[in-house]
């Protein structure tokens, strides 16, 4: 029983109320050794006597010292003890602070459930056991580390792997008192020729020599090793191995002597260096061989003790880890250098919107980082014919710029190249094997020696001063496609490109590809912004025009009506004619706006019927002829027979009326309007030609844009909303056709409608085989603007009569002798305003 009680975990319960203390004791005494205290200070004394305790259960509200205060004092001195507090929701702030600080494991509220409290204590005990095991393991590890610190401090004090390797040979050689300690790094799957050496000093001072080029270069000064030893043979005393080689006596040892060429060379090296005993230890980290360490005893054999071997192995393990970290540090430094270059290039990309400046910065930064003679950035794709050089760095030109006097502006030395148009390569992309290889592999092409390459590679032309001896080509990739390349050029010497050089060039090429895409995106965004500004301007002009177009007819309708209502009389014939014309103009404007809105919304549902295009055009032309006669224009038709076309006549007649109306508006009196219809293969071509003022060449590409009115007329005598030709284009395309325009400014314009015969190109559900007829009554609405021509001569005659000296002077006493000149491009408005002034006694 006694031994069983002693094996129970210890818990300490603290409460100032005896009943609670007794209840806690009776709850846990069967499974635990329960210690009791009535206050915090008493519990601290008990802890000092008992030592290790697993769990403390403490009440919060106690005199002299609260539970959180007591437990906080135990946290530092007894970190493995798990602390539980009993609380009645008082001192919440102290409790929360203690829990957050890790000084309290959990809290239990009063009154507590016995089973719940037992579960909390079991959980706390499990946590205590885990912490205790972890602490023991940590203590053991720290004790082992302390033994190795004296050996490995010199190794870990340096980050440069050369210093680490030299520290290894110095420390091990001095500690084990060997004659020679050699170390060869293992790099690129073989032992490096460069290594490090320690020589036992002949005097009290230590002499340490580092091999700079080859092992054996500085060994001629070693007194123990014969000066007659061939220097290359000394490297054979350290060989690649992944097992510890303990050689007490090299005589007749099969690892030193044998019949293979390698063993014969090794035996000769040992004999020449007078080596009698050796200990060869590999430095391995994560199953990767980092280096091989060899300890040699010369002149006399040496028995290597087990403790010596284990100590060297411990040092080798630490040294391998330190060497691995040093290699990683070297790689991080190289990456940092690369990232610094990338950041510089990224900053150059972000600091400028000029693509030439960005490309010049990329080539200069990469060329200087890799110390090449030239760096060229070229843009090309598989579809292009030639390579375009957009960025160039020439080290010779750069040096000349540095020697030249500094320019006034703060431009870079390579900036003048960016201001010039760099040349296109004369080598065809399709015939260039290097570019074709990059197109296929999307990988760099490395040429170490151009003279050993095919002639077509040697002929790869670059805008640099000296021919290339080594080249590297790196593709610029975007969305899985090649959009260009970076060419690195070495002309002074043959260069073996390192993997780090290739990686750096690829990283810069990735940034260059981003710069190219951003340049294209910037150009596209700028064009879109300019387009949006132009559209905004056009819309502003449209709303100005459309408001004018609406206000004028409304004024001419509303004004006479208000006058008639005010006078209590009806409208005269002339007033009624003006109102009718302008109501038709309003209806035409509204129809145009509604048609465009339906086209935008996709709600215009045409019905295509078979149509005899000759008859269709003839009827529209005849309804148009009276307007031409009024303006003294010659209307000529030449209508050839065409195959049947399918049209929505209610929509397509707007196209023809619009073109005829425009032709009449902009053709001066005495001019000619020609309407021709001809057949060409599966197309019918309808042309409307005039001898009017024509359209300036710059306006033709924008002619069918909405809200656009062609500028360039010598005198615009007709109003317009800028919607007519846009509606023409969209209605023609709705019929599966197209519209083109040819114009010579000052001589005339020709509009051509290209219509596909038959109905195979139209949606089947919108094709109806029942024929329909043209509704020529719509001409009065579609040609409403042309009715103004009829009243122009009459208005001039009315004005002439009013200005005549033979005016009835019966009411001359009520009239004034003042004259008013009325100027307006709308004849109806001129007539209306003039009539108002005449009624008020003015000469107009």
């Amino acid at each position: 029983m006694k031994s069983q009680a002693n094996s129970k975990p210890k818990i300490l319960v603290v409460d100032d109320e005896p009943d609670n203390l007794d209840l806690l004791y009776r709850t846990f005494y069967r499974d635990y050794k329960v210690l009791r205290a009535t206050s915090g200070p008493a519990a601290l004394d008990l802890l000092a006597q008992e030592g290790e305790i697993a769990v403390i259960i403490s009440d919060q509200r106690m005199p002299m010292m609260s539970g959180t205060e007591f437990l906080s004092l135990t946290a530092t001195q007894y970190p493995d003890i798990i602390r539980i507090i009993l609380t009645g929701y008082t001192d919440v702030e102290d409790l929360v602070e203690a829990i957050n600080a890790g000084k309290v494991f959990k809290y239990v509220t009063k009154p507590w459930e016995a089973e719940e409290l037992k579960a909390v204590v079991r959980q706390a005990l499990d946590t205590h056991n885990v912490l205790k095991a972890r602490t023991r393991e940590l203590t053991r590890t720290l004790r082992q580390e302390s033994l190795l610190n004296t050996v490995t401090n010199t190794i870990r004090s340096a980050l440069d792997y050369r210093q680490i390797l030299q520290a290894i040979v110095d420390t091990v050689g001095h500690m084990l008192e060997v004659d020679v300690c050699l170390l060869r790094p293992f790099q690129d799957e073989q032992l490096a020729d460069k290594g490090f050496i320690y020589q036992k000093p002949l005097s009290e001072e230590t002499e340490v020599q580092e091999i700079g080029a080859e092992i054996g270069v500085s060994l001629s000064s070693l007194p123990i090793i014969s000066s007659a030893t061939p220097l290359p043979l000394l490297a054979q005393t350290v060989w690649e191995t992944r097992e510890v080689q303990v050689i007490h006596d090299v005589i007749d040892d099969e690892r030193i002597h044998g019949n293979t060429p390698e063993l014969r060379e090794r035996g000769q090296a040992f004999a020449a260096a007078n080596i009698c005993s050796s200990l060869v230890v590999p430095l391995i980290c994560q199953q990767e061989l980092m280096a091989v360490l060899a300890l040699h005893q010369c002149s006399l054999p040496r028995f290597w003790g087990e403790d010596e071997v284990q100590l060297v192995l411990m040092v080798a393990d630490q040294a391998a880890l330190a060497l691995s970290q040093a290699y990683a540090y070297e790689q991080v430094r190289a990456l940092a250098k690369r990232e610094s270059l990338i950041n510089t290039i990224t900053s150059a990309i972000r600091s400028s919107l000029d693509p030439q400046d960005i490309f010049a910065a990329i080539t200069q930064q990469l060329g200087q980082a890799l110390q090449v003679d030239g760096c060229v950035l070229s843009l090309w794709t598989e579809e292009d014919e030639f390579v375009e050089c957009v960025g160039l760095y020439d080290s010779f030109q750069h040096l000349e710029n540095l020697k030249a006097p500094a320019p006034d502006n703060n431009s870079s030395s390579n900036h003048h190249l960016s201001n010039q148009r760099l040349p296109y390569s004369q080598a065809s992309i399709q015939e260039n094997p290097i570019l074709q290889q990059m197109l296929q592999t999307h990988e760099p092409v490395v040429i170490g020696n151009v003279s050993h390459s095919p002639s077509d590679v040697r002929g790869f032309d670059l805008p640099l001063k000296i021919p290339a001896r080594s080249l590297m080509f790196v593709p610029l990739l975007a969305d899985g496609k090649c959009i260009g390349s970076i060419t690195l050029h070495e002309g002074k010497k043959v260069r073996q490109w390192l993997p780090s050089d290739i990686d750096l060039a690829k990283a810069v090429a990735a940034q260059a590809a981003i710069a190219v895409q951003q340049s294209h995106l910037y150009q596209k965004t700028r064009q879109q912004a300019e387009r949006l500004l132009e559209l905004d301007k056009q819309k502003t002009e449209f709303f100005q025009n459309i408001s004018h177009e609406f206000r004028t007819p409304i004024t001419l309708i509303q004004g006479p009506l208000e006058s008639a209502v005010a006078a209590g009389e009806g409208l005269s014939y002339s007033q009624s004619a003006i109102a009718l014309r302008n109501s038709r103009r309003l209806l035409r404007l509204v129809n145009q706006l509604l048609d465009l809105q339906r086209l935008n919304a996709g709600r215009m549902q045409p019905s295509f019927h078979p149509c005899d295009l000759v008859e269709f055009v003839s009827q529209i032309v005849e309804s148009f002829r009276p307007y031409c006669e009024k303006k003294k224009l010659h209307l000529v038709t030449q209508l050839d027979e065409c195959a049947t076309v399918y049209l929505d006549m209610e929509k397509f007649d707007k196209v023809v009326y619009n073109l005829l109306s425009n032709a009449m508006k902009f053709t001066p009196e005495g001019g000619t309007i020609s309407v021709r219809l001809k057949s060409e293969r599966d197309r019918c071509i309808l042309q409307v030609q005039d001898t009017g003022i024509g359209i300036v060449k710059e306006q033709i590409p924008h002619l069918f844009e909405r809200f656009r009115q062609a500028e360039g007329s010598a005198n615009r005598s007709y109003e317009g909303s800028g919607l007519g030709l846009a509606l023409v284009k969209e209605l023609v395309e709705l019929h599966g056709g197209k519209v083109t325009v040819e114009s010579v400014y000052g001589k005339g314009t020709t509009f051509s409608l290209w219509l596909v015969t038959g109905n195979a190109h139209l949606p089947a559900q919108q094709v109806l085989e029942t024929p329909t007829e043209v509704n020529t009554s719509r001409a009065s609405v579609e040609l409403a603007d042309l009715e103004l021509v009829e009243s122009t001569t009459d208005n001039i005659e009315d004005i002439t009569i009013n200005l005549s000296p033979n005016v009835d002077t019966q009411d001359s006493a009520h009239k004034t002798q003042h004259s008013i000149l009325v100027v307006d491009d709308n004849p109806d408005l001129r007539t209306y305003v003039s009539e108002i002034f005449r009624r008020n006694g003015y000469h107009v």
Side-chain angles (χ1 to χ4, degrees):
M1 292 295 295
K2 184 176 181 180
S3 60
Q4 182 180 0
N6 290 337
S7 64
K8 292 181 180 180
K10 294 181 183 179
I11 65 173
L12 172 63
V13 294
V14 185
D15 199 312
D16 60 330
E17 295 183 9
D19 292 341
N20 287 343
L21 204 60
D22 184 63
L23 179 60
L24 289 170
Y25 176 79
R26 285 186 284 105
T27 302
F28 293 105
Y29 79 95
R30 291 184 179 86
D31 300 318
Y32 304 93
K33 181 179 179 180
V34 183
L35 306 176
R36 289 173 284 185
T38 57
S39 66
L44 290 174
D45 293 340
L46 191 58
L47 279 173
Q49 296 173 7
E50 291 292 332
E52 181 181 349
I53 290 179
V55 181
I56 298 177
I57 304 175
S58 173
D59 183 29
Q60 169 66 5
R61 301 279 295 188
M62 294 187 298
M64 299 175 60
M65 185 183 296
S66 68
T68 52
E69 292 174 344
F70 158 63
L71 294 179
S72 297
L73 293 176
T74 65
T76 302
Q77 189 173 359
Y78 308 100
D80 294 339
I81 296 178
I82 306 303
R83 293 165 286 278
I84 300 173
I85 198 163
L86 302 176
T87 177
Y89 293 105
T90 58
D91 300 324
V92 175
E93 293 184 0
D94 293 343
L95 182 59
V96 171
E97 181 180 356
I99 293 175
N100 290 340
K103 298 174 181 177
V104 174
F105 175 67
K106 282 191 178 180
Y107 70 92
V108 178
T109 58
K110 296 178 181 180
W112 62 81
E113 292 288 339
E115 292 302 321
E116 177 186 356
L117 184 58
K118 287 181 179 180
V120 172
V121 170
R122 285 194 295 272
Q123 184 181 3
L125 184 61
D126 292 340
T127 305
H128 168 75
N129 292 334
V130 171
L131 288 177
K132 189 174 179 181
R134 190 176 299 172
T135 301
R136 283 197 298 267
E137 179 65 21
L138 182 61
T139 302
R140 185 186 64 80
T141 303
L142 290 176
R143 186 178 298 113
Q144 181 180 356
E145 287 292 325
S146 65
L147 296 177
L148 294 175
N149 278 341
T150 55
V151 179
T152 59
N153 275 341
T154 55
I155 298 176
R156 297 187 178 187
S157 62
L159 285 175
D160 183 78
Y161 79 94
R162 301 177 219 21
Q163 296 178 5
I164 291 177
L165 295 179
Q166 189 61 56
I168 291 172
V169 296
D170 291 347
T171 304
V172 175
H174 178 73
M175 179 178 60
L176 296 183
E177 298 182 349
V178 295
D179 293 326
V180 177
C181 182
L182 297 173
L183 188 145
R184 291 177 66 185
F186 187 78
Q187 298 173 342
D188 299 328
E189 300 302 322
Q190 63 181 359
L191 289 175
D193 291 333
K194 297 180 180 180
F196 301 84
I197 186 170
Y198 162 84
Q199 176 193 1
K200 183 177 181 180
L202 296 178
S203 60
E204 293 297 325
E205 297 180 358
T206 301
E207 181 181 356
V208 178
Q209 301 181 10
E210 176 182 352
I211 301 175
E214 260 188 354
I215 289 183
V217 169
S218 59
L219 297 183
S220 59
S221 62
L222 297 178
I224 300 176
I225 299 176
S226 172
S227 60
T229 302
L231 299 180
L233 290 180
L234 190 58
Q236 299 301 322
T237 64
V238 182
W239 64 93
E240 179 182 346
T241 180
R242 284 174 168 77
E243 300 291 337
V244 178
Q245 306 295 330
V246 181
I247 304 174
H248 301 293
D249 193 343
V250 300
I251 298 175
D252 297 332
D253 193 289
E254 60 183 9
R255 291 166 290 184
I256 306 299
H257 305 284
N259 295 325
T260 65
E262 180 182 0
L263 289 178
R264 283 197 295 269
E265 292 179 358
R266 187 179 301 166
Q268 293 173 4
F270 271 79
N274 196 23
I275 299 173
C276 297
S277 300
S278 292
L279 178 60
V280 182
V281 180
L283 275 61
I284 298 176
C285 180
Q286 297 180 352
Q287 299 182 350
E288 181 180 354
L289 182 62
M290 311 298 297
V292 177
L293 177 70
L295 288 75
H296 297 317
Q297 195 71 37
C298 301
S299 301
L300 295 175
R302 174 172 176 171
F303 180 83
W304 304 99
E306 183 65 25
D307 56 338
E308 292 179 324
V309 174
Q310 291 300 322
L311 184 57
V312 173
L313 287 175
M314 293 175 61
V315 174
D317 289 341
Q318 294 298 317
L321 178 60
L323 189 57
S324 174
Q325 293 174 347
Y327 284 160
Y329 173 72
E330 291 289 329
Q331 294 175 354
V332 169
R333 281 208 312 176
L335 288 175
K337 182 180 178 181
R338 188 181 76 172
E339 290 302 319
S340 176
L341 176 61
I342 298 300
N343 290 337
T344 302
I345 293 175
T346 304
S347 299
I349 294 174
R350 293 178 177 176
S351 63
S352 175
L353 293 176
D354 186 355
Q356 293 301 325
D357 289 344
I358 295 174
F359 298 151
I362 291 173
T363 53
Q364 179 173 334
Q365 292 292 336
L366 179 59
Q368 292 178 347
L370 292 180
Q371 298 179 353
V372 294
D373 296 332
C375 180
V376 180
L377 175 61
S378 304
L379 297 184
W380 54 274
T381 63
E382 188 175 5
E383 294 77 18
D384 293 332
E385 183 177 1
F386 296 111
V387 173
E388 179 187 4
C389 177
V390 297
L392 171 64
Y393 166 74
D394 188 340
S395 62
F396 297 99
Q397 185 66 48
H398 181 69
L399 290 174
E400 291 176 4
N401 294 337
L402 292 178
K403 295 177 182 178
D408 294 335
N409 57 345
N410 295 326
S411 61
S412 68
S413 59
N414 212 34
H415 180 70
H416 77 285
L417 291 174
S418 65
N419 292 333
Q420 300 176 359
R421 181 74 177 180
L422 296 174
Y424 278 84
S425 169
Q426 297 305 310
S428 171
I429 294 176
Q430 297 299 327
E431 299 175 0
N432 191 301
I434 298 174
L435 303 184
Q436 290 302 311
Q437 182 177 343
M438 283 194 290
L439 283 173
Q440 294 174 3
T441 64
H442 290 177
E443 292 294 332
V445 177
V446 178
I447 301 175
N449 193 337
V450 173
S451 61
H452 296 164
S453 302
S455 57
D456 50 5
V457 174
R458 294 199 295 271
F460 191 85
D461 56 325
L462 294 171
L464 297 170
K465 289 188 175 183
I466 61 175
R469 300 186 64 185
S470 298
L471 289 169
M472 184 200 303
F473 304 89
V474 185
L476 272 59
L477 303 177
D479 300 327
K481 294 183 178 180
C482 191
I483 62 172
S485 60
I486 291 178
T487 304
L488 296 167
H489 170 283
E490 188 65 64
K492 290 181 291 187
K493 63 181 184 300
V494 173
R495 176 168 178 169
Q496 297 300 322
W497 303 100
L498 300 176
S500 58
D501 297 337
I502 300 174
D503 291 341
L504 179 58
K506 290 174 66 175
V508 173
Q511 292 297 317
I514 295 174
V516 171
Q517 289 182 304
Q518 289 181 347
S519 173
H520 292 166
L521 180 61
Y522 167 69
Q523 296 294 341
K524 183 178 179 180
T525 303
R526 187 173 68 176
Q527 292 172 0
Q528 290 177 342
E530 292 173 352
R531 177 61 180 160
L532 289 174
L533 289 174
E534 181 65 22
L535 285 176
D536 184 66
K537 178 183 177 183
Q538 292 176 14
K539 287 186 177 181
T540 301
E541 293 177 353
F542 163 72
F543 286 120
Q544 292 174 348
N545 292 339
I546 205 69
S547 62
H548 180 267
E549 291 293 306
F550 275 108
R551 284 176 179 272
T552 299
I554 289 174
T555 300
L556 293 172
I557 296 172
Q558 182 180 356
L561 288 174
E562 288 178 347
S563 299
V565 171
E569 300 175 354
L571 293 175
S572 64
Y573 173 78
S574 61
Q575 290 175 328
S576 299
I578 290 175
L580 178 59
R581 280 195 299 270
N582 286 281
S583 64
R584 289 171 176 170
R585 289 185 61 202
L586 279 177
L587 178 59
R588 182 168 181 267
L589 284 171
V590 172
N591 287 341
Q592 286 183 340
L593 290 173
L594 289 176
D595 286 342
L596 287 174
Q597 192 273 337
R598 292 190 190 102
L599 286 168
N600 281 341
R603 293 202 300 268
M604 181 170 282
Q605 300 297 327
S607 298
F608 302 104
H609 298 265
C611 174
D612 183 347
L613 203 55
V614 174
E615 182 181 355
F616 173 78
V617 175
S618 297
Q619 294 183 28
I620 293 180
V621 169
E622 289 307 313
S623 65
F624 175 71
R625 189 178 297 278
Y627 298 96
C628 291
E629 293 174 352
K630 288 292 184 181
K631 195 176 178 182
K632 297 181 176 58
L633 297 176
H634 303 287
L635 181 59
V636 179
T637 60
Q638 181 182 346
L639 307 178
D640 299 337
E641 289 297 328
C642 291
T644 302
V645 296
Y646 282 72
L647 303 176
D648 187 324
M649 295 188 185
E650 291 187 0
K651 296 176 175 59
F652 198 78
D653 63 356
K654 297 178 182 180
V655 174
V656 182
Y657 280 128
N658 205 304
L659 294 180
L660 292 173
S661 176
N662 281 345
M664 181 175 172
K665 285 180 182 180
F666 299 107
T667 302
E669 186 174 322
T672 301
I673 298 176
S674 301
V675 180
R676 289 188 293 270
L677 181 63
K678 58 183 179 179
S679 179
E680 185 176 303
R681 294 191 296 274
D682 63 339
R683 304 286 176 117
C684 288
I685 305 173
L686 175 61
Q687 293 181 325
V688 178
Q689 183 178 18
D690 63 62
T691 58
I693 61 175
I695 306 168
V696 293
K697 184 178 180 181
E698 292 76 11
Q699 291 291 327
I700 291 179
H702 309 288
L703 201 60
F704 296 102
E705 296 177 0
R706 294 183 183 183
F707 322 128
R708 174 81 69 167
Q709 288 181 299
E711 304 292 340
S713 58
N715 52 346
R716 277 184 53 187
S717 300
Y718 295 91
E719 301 165 321
S721 61
L723 297 176
L725 289 178
L727 188 61
V728 165
K729 178 178 180 293
E730 297 191 36
L731 288 176
V732 170
E733 291 175 349
L734 188 68
H735 286 75
K738 68 176 182 177
V739 57
T740 60
V741 59
E742 297 175 359
S743 182
V744 178
Y745 185 60
K747 293 184 178 181
T749 303
T750 301
F751 284 89
S752 300
L753 305 181
W754 301 68
L755 300 174
V756 182
T757 59
N759 58 19
H761 62 287
L762 299 172
Q765 66 274 16
Q766 295 177 351
V767 176
L768 301 175
E769 294 298 336
T770 57
T772 59
E773 296 182 356
V774 181
N775 184 6
T776 55
S777 62
R778 291 162 48 83
S780 59
V781 175
E782 297 300 331
L783 301 175
D785 290 344
L786 302 185
E787 294 184 7
L788 298 178
V789 177
E790 299 178 34
S791 61
T792 302
T793 305
D794 298 336
N795 289 338
I796 295 174
E797 292 174 355
D798 289 343
I799 294 171
T800 304
I801 293 172
N802 285 309
L803 292 176
S804 172
N806 299 322
V807 178
D808 184 11
T809 59
Q810 182 179 355
D811 297 327
S812 59
H814 301 286
K815 296 182 178 180
T816 178
Q817 298 301 316
H818 296 291
S819 298
I820 295 179
L821 175 64
V822 178
V823 181
D824 197 285
D825 60 345
N826 187 292
D828 281 345
L829 195 58
R830 284 200 309 270
T831 301
Y832 173 65
V833 174
S834 299
E835 184 63 27
I836 293 175
F837 284 120
R838 281 198 297 271
R839 290 177 182 174
N840 286 274
Y842 292 94
H843 291 292
V844 180

